[in-house]
């Protein structure tokens, strides 16, 4: 007996990605590497667990081996659950024979059995080839508030690009009144992101009807959405504001990688409030900013270096801000060394903050010994911590406040 779930996610990850050419000759597009250590599929998978959705079906088809191996039991995304979790769903041979997924709607139709075993009230349909952060739970809340049969996430795009997308027209309440699938002459700039929330029973009804229509392309954009709209079903747009990138071409994949760089990147993988999980450890890759420098040092995942680091060992998630100097030091995980602070010949334990202009230790190894700062401590702005001291509580002898 499977435990009932309020919402089940179905992640479409079987795309060939032909516009990525040689990058997808041996692997599916969602398994292409992104940002140094991620796969494209990490982003919707991380969105699911960050949004509290813990049952995810991943629909694979083209070159699935790398993707299947990468997902494994879902542990890196906290999706290795006894009830729910992640399950890879390739096409399979049924009683009537074997069928490749013929379209996005047919892929979901073939897996209604997986959905119904959890008896969900809602189903969210996702694509496995976009780079973005999104709280699906907020979208689900909006879906329930409007009483919609279907809610579609939309992004405002330039009119010149609108013909690449499914385009919606809405009234003042957000209710969808018209829909155009990749129109030559778009009448709106509200573009579908390919993210849908359906009431499960409505979805099942329309998928079955679509499967029985021999003229259908078995596609959400071409068939399911227009049919629901024509039948007068309650359909609402959910506006998304933020970074979203379809990395389906060589140019867009390169641009999205470049968007990770800089002091204020367009897309920030170091945001600890919305972590991007990966099979290749849980921390984002280290980043050395403009003006940052690391010499003869070990820099672990998640570090952001915008100052100078010499002859030091930095654990994961350390931040060294502009103008800060770290020499001959051992820095544990999660430490923040603020702008223009100096750390010499020291060991600093996890999650401690060295505030602006503070000085810890001496610039030459002293007979007094190594300076040690404990965990979860704040060394106040402008403070001076002498060589050899061991600090186990907040410390402030400078001009600044903690």
């Amino acid at each position: 007996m499977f435990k009932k779930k309020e919402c089940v996610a179905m992640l479409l990850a079987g795309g060939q990605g032909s516009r990525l050419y040689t990058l997808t000759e041996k692997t599916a597009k969602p398994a292409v590497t992104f940002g140094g250590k991620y796969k494209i599929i990490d982003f919707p998978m991380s969105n699911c667990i960050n949004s509290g959705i813990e049952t995810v079906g991943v629909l694979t088809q083209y070159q699935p081996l790398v993707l299947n191996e990468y997902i494994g039991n879902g542990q890196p995304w906290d999706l290795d659950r006894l009830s729910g979790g992640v399950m890879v769903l390739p096409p399979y041979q049924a009683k009537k024979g074997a069928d490749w997924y013929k379209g996005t709607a047919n892929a979901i139709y073939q897996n209604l059995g997986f959905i119904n075993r959890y008896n969900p009230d809602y189903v969210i349909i996702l694509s496995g080839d976009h780079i973005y952060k999104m709280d699906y739970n907020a979208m689900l809340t909006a879906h329930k508030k409007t009483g919609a049969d279907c809610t579609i996430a939309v992004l405002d795009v330039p009119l010149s690009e609108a013909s690449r997308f499914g385009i919606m027209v809405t009234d003042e309440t957000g209710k969808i009144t018209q829909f155009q699938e990749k129109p030559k002459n778009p009448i709106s700039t509200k573009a579908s992101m390919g993210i849908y929330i359906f009431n499960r029973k409505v979805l099942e009804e329309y998928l079955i009807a679509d499967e029985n229509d021999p003229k259908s392309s078995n596609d959400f954009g071409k068939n399911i959405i227009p049919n629901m709209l024509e039948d007068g079903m309650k359909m609402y747009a959910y506006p998304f504001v933020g970074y979203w990138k379809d990395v389906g071409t060589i140019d867009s994949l390169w641009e999205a990688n470049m968007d990770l760089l800089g002091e204020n990147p367009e897309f920030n993988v170091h945001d600890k409030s919305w972590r991007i999980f990966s099979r290749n450890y849980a921390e984002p890759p280290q980043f050395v900013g403009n003006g940052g420098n690391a010499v003869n040092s070990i820099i672990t995942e998640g570090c952001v270096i915008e100052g100078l680091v010499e002859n030091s060992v930095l654990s994961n998630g350390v931040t060294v801000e502009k103008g800060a100097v770290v020499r001959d030091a051992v820095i544990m995980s999660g430490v923040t060394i603020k702008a223009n602070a100096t750390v010499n010949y020291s060991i600093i334990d996890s999650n401690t903050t060295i505030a602006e202009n503070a000085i810890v230790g001496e610039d030459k190894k002293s007979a007094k010994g190594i300076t040690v700062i404990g965990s979860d401590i704040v060394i106040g702005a402008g403070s001076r911590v002498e060589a050899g001291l061991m600090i186990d509580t907040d410390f402030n002898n400078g001009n600044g406040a903690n």
Side-chain angles (χ1 to χ4, degrees):
M1 186 69 181
F2 293 93
K3 183 179 178 181
K4 176 179 171 58
K5 304 291 183 180
E6 182 186 30
C7 183
V8 167
M10 301 296 281
L11 206 167
L12 297 162
Q16 181 175 352
S18 57
R19 292 178 297 165
L20 291 178
Y21 302 102
T22 189
L23 298 179
T24 51
E25 280 187 5
K26 298 178 182 178
T27 187
K29 180 163 61 169
V32 170
T33 298
F34 177 82
K37 67 174 296 180
Y38 303 104
K39 303 291 186 185
I40 295 170
I41 200 171
D42 284 330
F43 295 87
M45 292 269 284
S46 297
N47 288 341
C48 284
I49 199 63
N50 284 327
S51 301
I53 296 174
E54 58 184 36
T55 304
V56 183
V58 180
L59 285 67
T60 63
Q61 180 158 281
Y62 172 79
Q63 293 282 16
L65 182 60
V66 173
L67 188 59
N68 294 355
E69 184 179 54
Y70 184 75
I71 293 171
N73 68 353
Q75 187 274 333
W77 305 270
D78 193 26
L79 288 170
D80 53 335
R81 307 296 179 97
L82 291 176
S83 176
V86 66
M87 181 173 288
V88 175
L89 301 169
Y92 60 92
Q93 184 167 355
K95 188 174 182 180
K96 295 181 181 179
D99 258 335
W100 289 110
Y101 296 145
K102 294 178 287 187
T104 54
N106 174 259
I108 303 299
Y109 169 81
Q110 288 197 42
N111 288 284
L112 283 174
F114 171 80
I115 294 171
N116 290 335
R117 74 201 304 190
Y118 298 104
N119 191 28
D121 300 311
Y122 309 101
V123 179
I124 182 166
I125 312 295
L126 306 169
S127 175
D129 52 7
H130 299 147
I131 304 298
Y132 66 112
K133 300 175 188 175
M134 183 176 181
D135 185 352
Y136 302 140
N137 188 54
M139 182 178 174
L140 180 59
T141 299
H143 175 83
K144 291 187 282 190
K145 185 176 181 180
T146 60
D149 297 301
C150 173
T151 299
I152 303 174
V154 299
L155 183 73
D156 194 42
V157 299
L159 185 62
S160 60
E161 296 181 17
S163 59
R164 297 172 44 218
F165 299 92
I167 295 296
M168 276 153 286
V169 177
T170 64
D171 65 15
E172 64 279 1
T173 69
K175 187 174 182 180
I176 299 169
T177 58
Q178 294 184 63
F179 179 81
Q180 298 175 294
E181 175 65 6
K182 298 182 179 179
K184 291 183 179 179
N185 299 301
I187 57 176
S188 167
T189 57
K190 292 179 180 178
S192 170
M193 299 169 65
I195 300 170
Y196 314 108
I197 293 180
F198 290 92
N199 294 347
R200 192 253 305 178
K201 291 182 179 178
V202 171
L203 174 64
E204 185 171 9
E205 175 188 338
Y206 274 86
L207 288 176
I208 292 172
D210 181 72
E211 189 65 20
N212 291 326
D213 179 3
K215 297 179 181 179
S216 176
S217 301
N218 305 124
D219 184 83
F220 279 101
K222 294 176 181 177
N223 306 109
I224 302 295
I225 302 305
N227 289 345
M228 290 183 66
L229 196 60
E230 186 177 344
D231 291 346
M233 304 299 285
K234 289 185 71 175
M235 306 179 73
Y236 281 81
Y238 178 79
F240 174 79
V241 178
Y243 184 94
W244 180 86
K245 196 88 163 183
D246 181 344
V247 287
T249 66
I250 295 295
D251 284 348
S252 63
L253 180 63
W254 181 86
E255 289 167 2
N257 275 274
M258 294 302 103
D259 289 342
L260 304 178
L261 305 179
E263 295 175 16
N264 296 295
E266 289 190 49
F267 189 77
N268 184 8
V269 293
H270 293 85
D271 179 6
K272 295 179 180 179
S273 68
W274 197 268
R275 289 177 63 185
I276 305 301
F277 297 91
S278 166
R279 193 172 183 85
N280 303 318
Y281 309 106
E283 290 281 358
Q286 60 265 45
F287 172 72
V288 180
N290 185 24
N293 194 11
V295 180
N296 193 38
S297 297
I298 293 175
I299 312 295
T300 317
E301 286 87 357
C303 292
V304 176
I305 310 300
E306 295 181 304
L308 173 63
V309 178
E310 287 186 348
N311 304 315
S312 296
V313 176
L314 274 57
S315 295
N316 58 294
V318 172
T319 298
V320 180
E321 294 187 356
K322 277 189 171 182
V325 176
V326 178
R327 289 191 177 99
D328 303 292
V330 176
I331 313 295
M332 306 299 188
S333 62
V335 169
T336 298
I337 300 168
K338 303 290 268 185
N340 301 309
T342 300
V343 176
N344 292 304
Y345 290 102
S346 300
I347 297 175
I348 300 179
D349 206 352
S350 300
N351 302 314
T352 280
T353 297
I354 311 299
E356 292 86 348
N357 300 301
I359 299 174
V360 177
E362 296 184 5
D363 59 0
K364 294 182 179 180
K365 191 170 184 180
S366 169
K368 298 176 182 177
I370 300 294
T371 306
V372 180
I373 311 293
S375 63
D376 301 289
I377 288 172
V378 175
I379 303 298
S383 293
R384 175 68 187 261
V385 182
E386 294 182 4
L389 290 183
M390 289 199 178
I391 307 297
D392 59 6
T393 187
D394 288 355
F395 181 94
N396 189 4
N397 65 0
N399 297 322
N402 283 347

